[in-house]
Amino acid sequence: MQTTRRSLAALGAASLFAPRLARAAAWPTERPISVYVPFPPGGGVDQMARVVLPHVARHLPGATFVVENRPGAGSQIGMEATFNARADGYVLGAVTSPAMMTIPYERQVRYRVRDFTYIANVVDDPGGLWVKADSPIRTLQDLLERAKKEPGTLSFGTTGIGSDDHLVMLEVEDAVPGVRFSHVPFNGAAPLQTAVLGGHLDVGCFNVSEGGPGYRDGRFRCLAQAGAQRDPALPDVATLTEQGVKVVAGAQRGIVAPPGPAAGDRAEARGRLPRRPGRPAIPGRCAAHGAAGQGDDRGGVSRRRARPRCAAAGDVVAQALARSVAVADVVGQGARRPLRPAAIRPICADWARP
């Protein structure tokens, strides 16, 4: 048999792509999939990841997930770890906006918001203003009057500079002339709640899903929440807007991967998902934690109906992840294109704003 340069080249190309094909065939059973959570355990982002991942695993036979909490710098450390990881399907990141977008305005970061691989938007979680049960601050109006009388003396805890909670504080200050707080940033909701309960802060701002359990067992009182309407999990808590402060704000949380998989393949995976006009692709509400899932136009569902909706989110994550890994491992580095949303928006192309 005559050996030609063309046949040698073909043999070399086959040997080059063989390891990639083997890796694609082995995924996702080769090793556990790490999910980086950029906050301490117990907060809203941590809860979201731990609720949705079992549903993802059901759609990826043989896959196992390991949640790694990597807190610090208001979530910057964990997001940088996700962004700079290898795009081989074995690293995911649980993220929240607007923190992922606002942090780069305040300081240099080792990630680019546009270049993350956006997989799924899971929940929309309004902010809340919380005090411990025996706090002398009884109502929102009481809080605002104190903040006007002695500007900058009331301690206001948030989950970090640039977090959605920090923006709630700034928006309240802008909406009510004369109100000023003393900002105290924390690395996550869990240590912030501890400080509020210990009497070290006058008020803490964290999301409805994070404060709901403490509210229901009597440890916290909620002065107001920043949703567009009352949350079914806390129906007796009025919104800021209802109380005369025109602020609607909160966090959107979801799953991303490092830059790498082809944008066209990502679009095809999303195209298979049912969508409502003007709404994100994920139907779901993780109501067990009091956080509204994307695509829920009714504003709330029962806990019994929340489980299948979380399962739907898990199906979406599994589909997108499986398809992106196949492209990243077989096509090769040279053909990869990062997903570039039309605008810098978190998790998916649509905000879940009313």
Side-chain angles (χ1 to χ4, degrees):
M1 181 179 70
Q2 186 177 7
T3 302
T4 65
R5 274 190 262 179
R6 182 173 295 178
S7 63
L8 286 173
L11 180 62
S15 63
L16 176 65
F17 285 103
R20 295 185 182 276
L21 290 166
R23 284 201 304 273
W27 186 89
T29 60
E30 191 176 23
R31 63 181 186 273
I33 298 173
S34 296
V35 182
Y36 297 157
V37 174
F39 295 98
V45 179
D46 184 71
Q47 292 176 24
M48 178 273 297
R50 295 178 191 274
V51 167
V52 78
L53 287 176
H55 299 287
V56 180
R58 294 178 186 177
H59 298 278
L60 294 176
T64 58
F65 293 89
V66 177
V67 174
E68 296 185 26
N69 295 92
R70 298 195 174 196
S75 75
Q76 177 181 342
I77 291 175
M79 288 192 290
E80 289 179 340
T82 299
F83 187 88
N84 291 286
R86 182 180 177 185
D88 60 1
Y90 287 100
V91 171
L92 296 176
V95 297
T96 181
S97 73
M100 67 187 304
M101 298 181 299
T102 55
I103 289 175
Y105 283 96
E106 200 255 336
R107 56 187 180 269
Q108 287 195 346
V109 297
R110 294 189 303 114
Y111 67 82
R112 293 178 299 279
V113 174
R114 288 180 178 271
D115 291 348
F116 276 106
T117 299
Y118 291 82
I119 293 179
N121 194 5
V122 180
V123 296
D124 186 9
D125 199 0
L129 303 182
W130 309 84
V131 296
K132 66 175 183 173
D134 60 352
S135 169
I137 301 173
R138 307 305 300 176
T139 65
L140 176 64
Q141 292 306 316
D142 188 13
L143 174 69
L144 298 178
E145 288 173 7
R146 290 169 183 249
K148 285 182 180 179
K149 186 177 180 180
E150 299 180 14
T153 60
L154 286 180
S155 55
F156 193 110
T158 74
T159 54
I161 295 173
S163 66
D164 59 292
D165 310 312
H166 186 199
L167 295 187
V168 168
M169 185 197 83
L170 295 175
E171 289 188 36
V172 170
E173 290 182 338
D174 287 343
V176 185
V179 167
R180 288 293 179 270
F181 299 104
S182 176
H183 183 216
V184 184
F186 285 76
N187 272 336
L192 170 56
Q193 290 184 8
T194 300
V196 173
L197 291 174
H200 307 298
L201 292 171
D202 294 308
V203 61
C205 185
F206 39 91
N207 300 106
V208 166
S209 71
E210 297 164 330
Y215 176 85
R216 286 186 285 271
D217 66 21
R219 289 176 294 157
F220 289 120
R221 284 188 293 105
C222 188
L223 305 179
Q225 58 98 348
Q229 57 191 7
R230 294 200 183 198
D231 193 282
L234 304 175
D236 56 337
V237 176
T239 66
L240 285 168
T241 302
E242 285 181 281
Q243 300 184 67
V245 181
K246 297 186 181 304
V247 171
V248 177
Q252 290 75 44
R253 306 189 188 106
I255 304 296
V256 302
D265 190 76
R266 174 73 60 217
E268 181 181 347
R270 282 214 183 111
R272 297 189 175 201
L273 306 173
R275 293 179 61 88
R276 302 177 186 174
R279 301 294 293 179
I282 305 292
R285 175 183 171 85
C286 295
H289 295 278
Q294 301 309 295
D296 184 4
D297 291 326
R298 292 165 299 216
V301 296
S302 69
R303 186 171 301 191
R304 179 165 51 91
R305 296 172 63 183
R307 292 302 182 183
R309 291 180 177 275
C310 289
D315 185 21
V316 170
V317 175
Q319 283 187 55
L321 182 58
R323 295 183 61 78
S324 67
V325 168
V327 171
D329 277 346
V330 177
V331 174
Q333 183 72 31
R336 297 181 188 175
R337 298 192 310 275
L339 177 68
R340 293 182 178 274
I344 302 179
R345 291 181 175 181
I347 319 306
C348 58
D350 300 303
W351 280 82
R353 292 299 192 194

